[in-house]
Amino acid sequence: MSDASASESAPPAAAVPPPAHAPGSPWRGAGLVVITLALIAPIAAWLLLDWLTDGDATFGTMVLLGTLSAAALAAFCLLWFYSGWTWRARLGTTAAAAAVVGGLWFLFPPQWNGAMQISGFRYRFAPNAEERIAAFVAANPEAPTAAKQAADAPPLVAGPDDWPGFRGPGRDGIKLDAAIPTNWAEDLPETVWRHPVGLGWGGFSVVDDRCFTLEQRGNEETVACYDADSGAPLWTHGEPARFPRIAPNGGDGPASTPLFHEGAVYSMGSTGLVTCVDARTGTLRWKRELIPSGENIQWGLACSPLIVDGALVVLPGAAAGPGSAFMGLDPATGETLWASGDDAGSYSSPVTAELGGVRQILAFGATALHGLSVDGAPLWEIPWTNQAEVNAALPLVVADQVFLSSGYGTGAGLYKVADSGDDWGTEEVWRTENRFKLKFNDAILHEGFVYGLDEGILSCVEYSSGKRMWKRGRYGYGQCLLLGTENGEPVLLITCEDGDLALVAASPDGFEELIRYSDAAGETLLSGICWNHAAYFRGRLLWRNGTEAVCVRLAEEPAPSEPASDEATN
């Protein structure tokens, strides 16, 4: 039989379906469409983020992380299932990419800002903050005890041009008689001194010729005192305590600002350790642990103490024990004078205000703002929380109304507080969902308008209505001061998250940035992440972050004046 006849009589072979991803397969086409969309999603998200999130950098980070993860998975699928490469080539490419990315990540770990976005990189084997402060301390010994307190030295007393505690004498970040010039391009602020400091996210308090701050030095939370004029170390007092933060942005170290009062310095660290030391010598007067080890809130306590009617007020939260979320301690001994509340701790500090004709303490917890009498008795509360239970920004008060704001999508609100005769009550005046979100940045209240960093963008809202006047200027998660100027018009001084300074007109009529320090100097004032509050005293700005402190002269030093009363510094 011939080959031709054999082939004609052979039965037809069964049809074999094409591979799932063979050319022309509908699955291949659909897969490529999905992969293409995943690859372009991060670009689209980046371009549309402001419109989608109203400039909310934290929420924007979540969107970007999601789209970048999808893009990475899409790239992997494109390589392994659509490239047509041999398995050895695919495996080698995957291993090489992982090695390059992993190696660079190890050698140059990223720095993360307050929105959990990469803001820079550092060389892993360069001296870190703790090594730099150790070298500075070794090269600059503290002043001898005799020099720290001479027998005839007058007592330290806070004056009207000092900055004795968190956000200044009024806890409002305002100094309208500062008279600073704004022509930095012609008159650049002079650097008085700068040097390394230990890890920490609080600020300085300044009285007379001394400035005080909290630092992490090794395994000790340390109250450090420096000469305000030269930056020279005068004394330190350390206690064994270290709160480890696992978040990549920030780092270990205390997050509060010490308080000066009647010759003593009071501080509360991240672990709930409260100390009182002599302001001249650093000698310990008393200390007290308020919460058991291991029962802290997620990122550690950040309460800056306050003296109210003879009590040292601190906010340790429910971890301090039943009925002890808010405490008033004896400034002389540390013993409990009063305690109340069971709200979990948050990251704010106490303030005082008069509401309904009654002087009160306002204390933020994780779930509400609480109004207390000056002896700690609960009066009223405004429920206020978010998924992260982060209430950090201080409330603002005008007449009998309280302004609140938090981040994590919460927004802001205004509430009227009134005493009906039988009981206290609160009433919502207005509320803005997901607008004017102060994550851990405090705001400025000036002439009926509130200025603050709404998820890193400067914003102005009307206090009485919540109406947004403007929102512009990306300064990150920094802080704000309101300072008077030479021409009499107050300005917002923004201490930016990236270490820059900016002067912005304090006007609801529109955003106007006058100048940035980096525009005049060619570089930022500090480097690295800067979340700490700055102090303004006698014409100088004292600012720090987790690695370095700097003092710059913004204006001429005012003439000496009489010391402030105790009431003014409480």
PDB file of all heavy atoms in Angstrom, residues 315-317 325-326 343-351 361-371 382-385 390-396 402-406:
ATOM      1  N   LEU A 315      -1.720  62.725  82.031  1.00  0.00           N
ATOM      2  CA  LEU A 315      -2.764  61.897  81.422  1.00  0.00           C
ATOM      3  C   LEU A 315      -2.206  60.518  81.084  1.00  0.00           C
ATOM      4  O   LEU A 315      -1.897  60.224  79.924  1.00  0.00           O
ATOM      5  CB  LEU A 315      -3.300  62.568  80.151  1.00  0.00           C
ATOM      6  CG  LEU A 315      -3.639  64.066  80.229  1.00  0.00           C
ATOM      7  CD1 LEU A 315      -4.122  64.566  78.870  1.00  0.00           C
ATOM      8  CD2 LEU A 315      -4.673  64.327  81.310  1.00  0.00           C
ATOM      9  N   PRO A 316      -2.086  59.603  82.064  1.00  0.00           N
ATOM     10  CA  PRO A 316      -1.521  58.287  81.783  1.00  0.00           C
ATOM     11  C   PRO A 316      -2.495  57.326  81.121  1.00  0.00           C
ATOM     12  O   PRO A 316      -2.081  56.300  80.579  1.00  0.00           O
ATOM     13  CB  PRO A 316      -1.125  57.780  83.172  1.00  0.00           C
ATOM     14  CG  PRO A 316      -2.105  58.443  84.089  1.00  0.00           C
ATOM     15  CD  PRO A 316      -2.355  59.811  83.495  1.00  0.00           C
ATOM     16  N   GLY A 317      -3.803  57.611  81.159  1.00  0.00           N
ATOM     17  CA  GLY A 317      -4.782  56.705  80.571  1.00  0.00           C
ATOM     18  C   GLY A 317      -5.159  55.569  81.497  1.00  0.00           C
ATOM     19  O   GLY A 317      -4.673  55.446  82.626  1.00  0.00           O
ATOM     20  N   ALA A 325      -7.222  57.518  84.802  1.00  0.00           N
ATOM     21  CA  ALA A 325      -6.787  57.938  83.472  1.00  0.00           C
ATOM     22  C   ALA A 325      -6.220  59.349  83.482  1.00  0.00           C
ATOM     23  O   ALA A 325      -5.313  59.676  82.720  1.00  0.00           O
ATOM     24  CB  ALA A 325      -7.949  57.839  82.486  1.00  0.00           C
ATOM     25  N   PHE A 326      -6.781  60.204  84.370  1.00  0.00           N
ATOM     26  CA  PHE A 326      -6.324  61.584  84.512  1.00  0.00           C
ATOM     27  C   PHE A 326      -5.941  61.775  85.973  1.00  0.00           C
ATOM     28  O   PHE A 326      -6.708  61.443  86.878  1.00  0.00           O
ATOM     29  CB  PHE A 326      -7.435  62.557  84.114  1.00  0.00           C
ATOM     30  CG  PHE A 326      -8.188  62.119  82.897  1.00  0.00           C
ATOM     31  CD1 PHE A 326      -9.556  61.867  82.961  1.00  0.00           C
ATOM     32  CD2 PHE A 326      -7.545  61.930  81.691  1.00  0.00           C
ATOM     33  CE1 PHE A 326     -10.266  61.447  81.852  1.00  0.00           C
ATOM     34  CE2 PHE A 326      -8.243  61.508  80.564  1.00  0.00           C
ATOM     35  CZ  PHE A 326      -9.601  61.264  80.645  1.00  0.00           C
ATOM     36  N   ASP A 343     -10.859  56.325  80.513  1.00  0.00           N
ATOM     37  CA  ASP A 343     -10.598  56.301  79.079  1.00  0.00           C
ATOM     38  C   ASP A 343      -9.163  55.832  78.836  1.00  0.00           C
ATOM     39  O   ASP A 343      -8.251  56.112  79.628  1.00  0.00           O
ATOM     40  CB  ASP A 343     -10.789  57.694  78.487  1.00  0.00           C
ATOM     41  CG  ASP A 343     -11.002  57.674  76.975  1.00  0.00           C
ATOM     42  OD1 ASP A 343     -10.873  56.598  76.375  1.00  0.00           O
ATOM     43  OD2 ASP A 343     -11.311  58.744  76.410  1.00  0.00           O
ATOM     44  N   ALA A 344      -8.961  55.100  77.746  1.00  0.00           N
ATOM     45  CA  ALA A 344      -7.609  54.696  77.380  1.00  0.00           C
ATOM     46  C   ALA A 344      -6.772  55.930  77.054  1.00  0.00           C
ATOM     47  O   ALA A 344      -7.304  56.977  76.668  1.00  0.00           O
ATOM     48  CB  ALA A 344      -7.651  53.758  76.181  1.00  0.00           C
ATOM     49  N   GLY A 345      -5.476  55.815  77.206  1.00  0.00           N
ATOM     50  CA  GLY A 345      -4.592  56.935  76.937  1.00  0.00           C
ATOM     51  C   GLY A 345      -4.553  57.275  75.462  1.00  0.00           C
ATOM     52  O   GLY A 345      -4.851  56.456  74.595  1.00  0.00           O
ATOM     53  N   SER A 346      -4.185  58.512  75.182  1.00  0.00           N
ATOM     54  CA  SER A 346      -3.945  58.921  73.808  1.00  0.00           C
ATOM     55  C   SER A 346      -2.632  59.697  73.787  1.00  0.00           C
ATOM     56  O   SER A 346      -1.742  59.406  74.578  1.00  0.00           O
ATOM     57  CB  SER A 346      -5.129  59.727  73.271  1.00  0.00           C
ATOM     58  OG  SER A 346      -5.029  59.847  71.866  1.00  0.00           O
ATOM     59  N   TYR A 347      -2.498  60.687  72.939  1.00  0.00           N
ATOM     60  CA  TYR A 347      -1.197  61.304  72.719  1.00  0.00           C
ATOM     61  C   TYR A 347      -1.236  62.814  72.904  1.00  0.00           C
ATOM     62  O   TYR A 347      -0.420  63.540  72.337  1.00  0.00           O
ATOM     63  CB  TYR A 347      -0.700  60.943  71.308  1.00  0.00           C
ATOM     64  CG  TYR A 347      -0.695  59.459  71.078  1.00  0.00           C
ATOM     65  CD1 TYR A 347      -1.816  58.802  70.582  1.00  0.00           C
ATOM     66  CD2 TYR A 347       0.411  58.683  71.412  1.00  0.00           C
ATOM     67  CE1 TYR A 347      -1.830  57.428  70.404  1.00  0.00           C
ATOM     68  CE2 TYR A 347       0.414  57.315  71.245  1.00  0.00           C
ATOM     69  CZ  TYR A 347      -0.714  56.690  70.747  1.00  0.00           C
ATOM     70  OH  TYR A 347      -0.727  55.326  70.580  1.00  0.00           O
ATOM     71  N   SER A 348      -2.160  63.296  73.722  1.00  0.00           N
ATOM     72  CA  SER A 348      -2.337  64.724  73.922  1.00  0.00           C
ATOM     73  C   SER A 348      -1.863  65.133  75.313  1.00  0.00           C
ATOM     74  O   SER A 348      -1.377  64.313  76.093  1.00  0.00           O
ATOM     75  CB  SER A 348      -3.815  65.089  73.733  1.00  0.00           C
ATOM     76  OG  SER A 348      -3.991  66.486  73.701  1.00  0.00           O
ATOM     77  N   SER A 349      -2.012  66.413  75.600  1.00  0.00           N
ATOM     78  CA  SER A 349      -1.604  66.987  76.882  1.00  0.00           C
ATOM     79  C   SER A 349      -2.750  67.817  77.447  1.00  0.00           C
ATOM     80  O   SER A 349      -3.603  68.298  76.699  1.00  0.00           O
ATOM     81  CB  SER A 349      -0.363  67.873  76.698  1.00  0.00           C
ATOM     82  OG  SER A 349       0.731  67.123  76.201  1.00  0.00           O
ATOM     83  N   PRO A 350      -2.786  68.017  78.765  1.00  0.00           N
ATOM     84  CA  PRO A 350      -3.881  68.797  79.355  1.00  0.00           C
ATOM     85  C   PRO A 350      -3.745  70.289  79.074  1.00  0.00           C
ATOM     86  O   PRO A 350      -2.642  70.813  78.944  1.00  0.00           O
ATOM     87  CB  PRO A 350      -3.740  68.501  80.852  1.00  0.00           C
ATOM     88  CG  PRO A 350      -2.282  68.194  81.039  1.00  0.00           C
ATOM     89  CD  PRO A 350      -1.852  67.495  79.787  1.00  0.00           C
ATOM     90  N   VAL A 351      -4.899  70.954  78.980  1.00  0.00           N
ATOM     91  CA  VAL A 351      -4.953  72.410  78.885  1.00  0.00           C
ATOM     92  C   VAL A 351      -6.057  72.894  79.822  1.00  0.00           C
ATOM     93  O   VAL A 351      -6.914  72.116  80.242  1.00  0.00           O
ATOM     94  CB  VAL A 351      -5.233  72.901  77.450  1.00  0.00           C
ATOM     95  CG1 VAL A 351      -4.099  72.548  76.521  1.00  0.00           C
ATOM     96  CG2 VAL A 351      -6.548  72.330  76.930  1.00  0.00           C
ATOM     97  N   ILE A 361     -10.179  71.734  83.345  1.00  0.00           N
ATOM     98  CA  ILE A 361      -9.087  71.033  82.675  1.00  0.00           C
ATOM     99  C   ILE A 361      -9.693  70.255  81.511  1.00  0.00           C
ATOM    100  O   ILE A 361     -10.678  69.531  81.691  1.00  0.00           O
ATOM    101  CB  ILE A 361      -8.373  70.060  83.630  1.00  0.00           C
ATOM    102  CG1 ILE A 361      -7.786  70.811  84.831  1.00  0.00           C
ATOM    103  CG2 ILE A 361      -7.288  69.279  82.895  1.00  0.00           C
ATOM    104  CD1 ILE A 361      -7.334  69.899  85.959  1.00  0.00           C
ATOM    105  N   LEU A 362      -9.128  70.412  80.313  1.00  0.00           N
ATOM    106  CA  LEU A 362      -9.563  69.641  79.157  1.00  0.00           C
ATOM    107  C   LEU A 362      -8.528  68.554  78.902  1.00  0.00           C
ATOM    108  O   LEU A 362      -7.333  68.837  78.769  1.00  0.00           O
ATOM    109  CB  LEU A 362      -9.715  70.526  77.924  1.00  0.00           C
ATOM    110  CG  LEU A 362     -10.627  71.763  78.065  1.00  0.00           C
ATOM    111  CD1 LEU A 362     -10.858  72.408  76.710  1.00  0.00           C
ATOM    112  CD2 LEU A 362     -11.935  71.409  78.729  1.00  0.00           C
ATOM    113  N   ALA A 363      -9.005  67.308  78.848  1.00  0.00           N
ATOM    114  CA  ALA A 363      -8.104  66.157  78.748  1.00  0.00           C
ATOM    115  C   ALA A 363      -8.609  65.204  77.673  1.00  0.00           C
ATOM    116  O   ALA A 363      -9.722  64.666  77.777  1.00  0.00           O
ATOM    117  CB  ALA A 363      -8.013  65.438  80.091  1.00  0.00           C
ATOM    118  N   PHE A 364      -7.807  64.979  76.666  1.00  0.00           N
ATOM    119  CA  PHE A 364      -8.151  64.038  75.611  1.00  0.00           C
ATOM    120  C   PHE A 364      -7.792  62.619  76.040  1.00  0.00           C
ATOM    121  O   PHE A 364      -6.698  62.359  76.554  1.00  0.00           O
ATOM    122  CB  PHE A 364      -7.379  64.356  74.324  1.00  0.00           C
ATOM    123  CG  PHE A 364      -8.239  64.767  73.171  1.00  0.00           C
ATOM    124  CD1 PHE A 364      -7.839  65.797  72.340  1.00  0.00           C
ATOM    125  CD2 PHE A 364      -9.435  64.119  72.912  1.00  0.00           C
ATOM    126  CE1 PHE A 364      -8.617  66.182  71.256  1.00  0.00           C
ATOM    127  CE2 PHE A 364     -10.227  64.498  71.833  1.00  0.00           C
ATOM    128  CZ  PHE A 364      -9.814  65.537  71.002  1.00  0.00           C
ATOM    129  N   GLY A 365      -8.713  61.687  75.817  1.00  0.00           N
ATOM    130  CA  GLY A 365      -8.422  60.273  75.902  1.00  0.00           C
ATOM    131  C   GLY A 365      -8.522  59.671  74.521  1.00  0.00           C
ATOM    132  O   GLY A 365      -8.638  60.383  73.513  1.00  0.00           O
ATOM    133  N   ALA A 366      -8.521  58.345  74.444  1.00  0.00           N
ATOM    134  CA  ALA A 366      -8.582  57.679  73.148  1.00  0.00           C
ATOM    135  C   ALA A 366      -9.954  57.773  72.509  1.00  0.00           C
ATOM    136  O   ALA A 366     -10.079  57.683  71.285  1.00  0.00           O
ATOM    137  CB  ALA A 366      -8.186  56.212  73.307  1.00  0.00           C
ATOM    138  N   THR A 367     -11.014  57.944  73.316  1.00  0.00           N
ATOM    139  CA  THR A 367     -12.367  57.902  72.773  1.00  0.00           C
ATOM    140  C   THR A 367     -13.159  59.185  72.960  1.00  0.00           C
ATOM    141  O   THR A 367     -14.268  59.291  72.446  1.00  0.00           O
ATOM    142  CB  THR A 367     -13.167  56.756  73.422  1.00  0.00           C
ATOM    143  OG1 THR A 367     -13.361  57.033  74.818  1.00  0.00           O
ATOM    144  CG2 THR A 367     -12.434  55.427  73.270  1.00  0.00           C
ATOM    145  N   ALA A 368     -12.642  60.154  73.701  1.00  0.00           N
ATOM    146  CA  ALA A 368     -13.428  61.358  73.978  1.00  0.00           C
ATOM    147  C   ALA A 368     -12.543  62.470  74.514  1.00  0.00           C
ATOM    148  O   ALA A 368     -11.445  62.223  75.029  1.00  0.00           O
ATOM    149  CB  ALA A 368     -14.537  61.056  74.984  1.00  0.00           C
ATOM    150  N   LEU A 369     -13.061  63.714  74.402  1.00  0.00           N
ATOM    151  CA  LEU A 369     -12.480  64.837  75.127  1.00  0.00           C
ATOM    152  C   LEU A 369     -13.261  64.985  76.423  1.00  0.00           C
ATOM    153  O   LEU A 369     -14.499  65.030  76.422  1.00  0.00           O
ATOM    154  CB  LEU A 369     -12.586  66.128  74.312  1.00  0.00           C
ATOM    155  CG  LEU A 369     -12.058  67.368  75.039  1.00  0.00           C
ATOM    156  CD1 LEU A 369     -10.546  67.336  75.141  1.00  0.00           C
ATOM    157  CD2 LEU A 369     -12.525  68.651  74.352  1.00  0.00           C
ATOM    158  N   HIS A 370     -12.553  65.082  77.528  1.00  0.00           N
ATOM    159  CA  HIS A 370     -13.176  65.120  78.846  1.00  0.00           C
ATOM    160  C   HIS A 370     -12.963  66.493  79.473  1.00  0.00           C
ATOM    161  O   HIS A 370     -11.848  67.036  79.451  1.00  0.00           O
ATOM    162  CB  HIS A 370     -12.567  64.054  79.756  1.00  0.00           C
ATOM    163  CG  HIS A 370     -12.684  62.666  79.203  1.00  0.00           C
ATOM    164  ND1 HIS A 370     -13.692  61.804  79.556  1.00  0.00           N
ATOM    165  CD2 HIS A 370     -11.915  61.994  78.297  1.00  0.00           C
ATOM    166  CE1 HIS A 370     -13.547  60.657  78.907  1.00  0.00           C
ATOM    167  NE2 HIS A 370     -12.472  60.749  78.140  1.00  0.00           N
ATOM    168  N   GLY A 371     -14.038  67.054  80.036  1.00  0.00           N
ATOM    169  CA  GLY A 371     -13.951  68.266  80.821  1.00  0.00           C
ATOM    170  C   GLY A 371     -13.958  67.923  82.293  1.00  0.00           C
ATOM    171  O   GLY A 371     -14.848  67.215  82.779  1.00  0.00           O
ATOM    172  N   ILE A 382     -17.088  64.806  75.248  1.00  0.00           N
ATOM    173  CA  ILE A 382     -17.490  64.819  73.841  1.00  0.00           C
ATOM    174  C   ILE A 382     -16.889  63.573  73.193  1.00  0.00           C
ATOM    175  O   ILE A 382     -15.659  63.473  73.080  1.00  0.00           O
ATOM    176  CB  ILE A 382     -16.985  66.082  73.117  1.00  0.00           C
ATOM    177  CG1 ILE A 382     -17.549  67.347  73.766  1.00  0.00           C
ATOM    178  CG2 ILE A 382     -17.345  66.027  71.635  1.00  0.00           C
ATOM    179  CD1 ILE A 382     -16.911  68.627  73.255  1.00  0.00           C
ATOM    180  N   PRO A 383     -17.710  62.595  72.790  1.00  0.00           N
ATOM    181  CA  PRO A 383     -17.151  61.411  72.118  1.00  0.00           C
ATOM    182  C   PRO A 383     -16.367  61.820  70.872  1.00  0.00           C
ATOM    183  O   PRO A 383     -16.866  62.570  70.029  1.00  0.00           O
ATOM    184  CB  PRO A 383     -18.404  60.593  71.758  1.00  0.00           C
ATOM    185  CG  PRO A 383     -19.440  61.052  72.724  1.00  0.00           C
ATOM    186  CD  PRO A 383     -19.169  62.513  72.966  1.00  0.00           C
ATOM    187  N   TRP A 384     -15.157  61.307  70.768  1.00  0.00           N
ATOM    188  CA  TRP A 384     -14.284  61.703  69.650  1.00  0.00           C
ATOM    189  C   TRP A 384     -13.182  60.665  69.515  1.00  0.00           C
ATOM    190  O   TRP A 384     -12.347  60.517  70.409  1.00  0.00           O
ATOM    191  CB  TRP A 384     -13.681  63.080  69.918  1.00  0.00           C
ATOM    192  CG  TRP A 384     -13.005  63.700  68.729  1.00  0.00           C
ATOM    193  CD1 TRP A 384     -11.701  63.565  68.354  1.00  0.00           C
ATOM    194  CD2 TRP A 384     -13.617  64.537  67.750  1.00  0.00           C
ATOM    195  NE1 TRP A 384     -11.460  64.280  67.211  1.00  0.00           N
ATOM    196  CE2 TRP A 384     -12.624  64.886  66.820  1.00  0.00           C
ATOM    197  CE3 TRP A 384     -14.913  65.025  67.570  1.00  0.00           C
ATOM    198  CZ2 TRP A 384     -12.883  65.706  65.726  1.00  0.00           C
ATOM    199  CZ3 TRP A 384     -15.164  65.848  66.483  1.00  0.00           C
ATOM    200  CH2 TRP A 384     -14.162  66.184  65.572  1.00  0.00           C
ATOM    201  N   THR A 385     -13.157  59.941  68.404  1.00  0.00           N
ATOM    202  CA  THR A 385     -12.147  58.904  68.245  1.00  0.00           C
ATOM    203  C   THR A 385     -11.945  58.605  66.774  1.00  0.00           C
ATOM    204  O   THR A 385     -12.583  59.189  65.891  1.00  0.00           O
ATOM    205  CB  THR A 385     -12.555  57.627  69.017  1.00  0.00           C
ATOM    206  OG1 THR A 385     -11.447  56.716  69.058  1.00  0.00           O
ATOM    207  CG2 THR A 385     -13.755  56.947  68.358  1.00  0.00           C
ATOM    208  N   VAL A 390      -5.954  57.879  67.943  1.00  0.00           N
ATOM    209  CA  VAL A 390      -4.945  58.923  68.090  1.00  0.00           C
ATOM    210  C   VAL A 390      -5.645  60.279  68.164  1.00  0.00           C
ATOM    211  O   VAL A 390      -6.139  60.797  67.155  1.00  0.00           O
ATOM    212  CB  VAL A 390      -3.937  58.914  66.931  1.00  0.00           C
ATOM    213  CG1 VAL A 390      -2.991  60.109  67.041  1.00  0.00           C
ATOM    214  CG2 VAL A 390      -3.136  57.616  66.936  1.00  0.00           C
ATOM    215  N   ASN A 391      -5.733  60.823  69.348  1.00  0.00           N
ATOM    216  CA  ASN A 391      -6.189  62.195  69.576  1.00  0.00           C
ATOM    217  C   ASN A 391      -5.005  62.960  70.157  1.00  0.00           C
ATOM    218  O   ASN A 391      -4.662  62.793  71.324  1.00  0.00           O
ATOM    219  CB  ASN A 391      -7.371  62.224  70.544  1.00  0.00           C
ATOM    220  CG  ASN A 391      -8.636  61.667  69.930  1.00  0.00           C
ATOM    221  OD1 ASN A 391      -8.910  61.881  68.758  1.00  0.00           O
ATOM    222  ND2 ASN A 391      -9.418  60.940  70.712  1.00  0.00           N
ATOM    223  N   ALA A 392      -4.357  63.754  69.337  1.00  0.00           N
ATOM    224  CA  ALA A 392      -3.106  64.384  69.752  1.00  0.00           C
ATOM    225  C   ALA A 392      -3.197  65.901  69.842  1.00  0.00           C
ATOM    226  O   ALA A 392      -2.591  66.510  70.719  1.00  0.00           O
ATOM    227  CB  ALA A 392      -1.979  63.995  68.799  1.00  0.00           C
ATOM    228  N   ALA A 393      -3.923  66.544  68.917  1.00  0.00           N
ATOM    229  CA  ALA A 393      -3.958  68.009  68.869  1.00  0.00           C
ATOM    230  C   ALA A 393      -4.724  68.569  70.066  1.00  0.00           C
ATOM    231  O   ALA A 393      -5.779  68.059  70.445  1.00  0.00           O
ATOM    232  CB  ALA A 393      -4.609  68.470  67.571  1.00  0.00           C
ATOM    233  N   LEU A 394      -4.193  69.635  70.653  1.00  0.00           N
ATOM    234  CA  LEU A 394      -4.858  70.264  71.784  1.00  0.00           C
ATOM    235  C   LEU A 394      -6.173  70.905  71.334  1.00  0.00           C
ATOM    236  O   LEU A 394      -6.246  71.499  70.259  1.00  0.00           O
ATOM    237  CB  LEU A 394      -3.972  71.349  72.402  1.00  0.00           C
ATOM    238  CG  LEU A 394      -2.623  70.921  72.973  1.00  0.00           C
ATOM    239  CD1 LEU A 394      -1.962  72.115  73.651  1.00  0.00           C
ATOM    240  CD2 LEU A 394      -2.757  69.765  73.939  1.00  0.00           C
ATOM    241  N   PRO A 395      -7.234  70.804  72.149  1.00  0.00           N
ATOM    242  CA  PRO A 395      -8.483  71.505  71.826  1.00  0.00           C
ATOM    243  C   PRO A 395      -8.291  73.012  71.945  1.00  0.00           C
ATOM    244  O   PRO A 395      -7.441  73.492  72.699  1.00  0.00           O
ATOM    245  CB  PRO A 395      -9.463  70.972  72.870  1.00  0.00           C
ATOM    246  CG  PRO A 395      -8.604  70.540  74.017  1.00  0.00           C
ATOM    247  CD  PRO A 395      -7.327  70.056  73.414  1.00  0.00           C
ATOM    248  N   LEU A 396      -9.096  73.769  71.189  1.00  0.00           N
ATOM    249  CA  LEU A 396      -9.067  75.221  71.213  1.00  0.00           C
ATOM    250  C   LEU A 396     -10.401  75.727  71.740  1.00  0.00           C
ATOM    251  O   LEU A 396     -11.456  75.171  71.409  1.00  0.00           O
ATOM    252  CB  LEU A 396      -8.815  75.778  69.807  1.00  0.00           C
ATOM    253  CG  LEU A 396      -7.536  75.293  69.102  1.00  0.00           C
ATOM    254  CD1 LEU A 396      -7.517  75.781  67.657  1.00  0.00           C
ATOM    255  CD2 LEU A 396      -6.299  75.752  69.848  1.00  0.00           C
ATOM    256  N   VAL A 402     -15.775  74.641  72.071  1.00  0.00           N
ATOM    257  CA  VAL A 402     -14.539  73.869  72.015  1.00  0.00           C
ATOM    258  C   VAL A 402     -14.351  73.324  70.600  1.00  0.00           C
ATOM    259  O   VAL A 402     -15.259  72.680  70.047  1.00  0.00           O
ATOM    260  CB  VAL A 402     -14.566  72.696  73.018  1.00  0.00           C
ATOM    261  CG1 VAL A 402     -13.258  71.927  72.974  1.00  0.00           C
ATOM    262  CG2 VAL A 402     -14.833  73.208  74.431  1.00  0.00           C
ATOM    263  N   PHE A 403     -13.176  73.589  70.031  1.00  0.00           N
ATOM    264  CA  PHE A 403     -12.815  73.116  68.693  1.00  0.00           C
ATOM    265  C   PHE A 403     -11.940  71.878  68.823  1.00  0.00           C
ATOM    266  O   PHE A 403     -10.945  71.885  69.558  1.00  0.00           O
ATOM    267  CB  PHE A 403     -12.072  74.226  67.951  1.00  0.00           C
ATOM    268  CG  PHE A 403     -11.530  73.837  66.604  1.00  0.00           C
ATOM    269  CD1 PHE A 403     -12.276  74.047  65.456  1.00  0.00           C
ATOM    270  CD2 PHE A 403     -10.268  73.260  66.484  1.00  0.00           C
ATOM    271  CE1 PHE A 403     -11.772  73.703  64.207  1.00  0.00           C
ATOM    272  CE2 PHE A 403      -9.763  72.904  65.246  1.00  0.00           C
ATOM    273  CZ  PHE A 403     -10.520  73.116  64.100  1.00  0.00           C
ATOM    274  N   LEU A 404     -12.284  70.815  68.080  1.00  0.00           N
ATOM    275  CA  LEU A 404     -11.535  69.561  68.119  1.00  0.00           C
ATOM    276  C   LEU A 404     -11.107  69.169  66.714  1.00  0.00           C
ATOM    277  O   LEU A 404     -11.787  69.479  65.734  1.00  0.00           O
ATOM    278  CB  LEU A 404     -12.394  68.426  68.693  1.00  0.00           C
ATOM    279  CG  LEU A 404     -13.085  68.639  70.032  1.00  0.00           C
ATOM    280  CD1 LEU A 404     -13.927  67.423  70.376  1.00  0.00           C
ATOM    281  CD2 LEU A 404     -12.061  68.897  71.103  1.00  0.00           C
ATOM    282  N   SER A 405     -10.004  68.451  66.618  1.00  0.00           N
ATOM    283  CA  SER A 405      -9.573  67.934  65.321  1.00  0.00           C
ATOM    284  C   SER A 405      -8.663  66.736  65.526  1.00  0.00           C
ATOM    285  O   SER A 405      -7.874  66.697  66.474  1.00  0.00           O
ATOM    286  CB  SER A 405      -8.837  69.013  64.517  1.00  0.00           C
ATOM    287  OG  SER A 405      -8.321  68.478  63.318  1.00  0.00           O
ATOM    288  N   SER A 406      -8.790  65.749  64.631  1.00  0.00           N
ATOM    289  CA  SER A 406      -7.906  64.585  64.629  1.00  0.00           C
ATOM    290  C   SER A 406      -7.710  64.120  63.194  1.00  0.00           C
ATOM    291  O   SER A 406      -8.491  64.473  62.303  1.00  0.00           O
ATOM    292  CB  SER A 406      -8.491  63.431  65.462  1.00  0.00           C
ATOM    293  OG  SER A 406      -8.579  63.769  66.819  1.00  0.00           O
TER     294      SER A 406
END
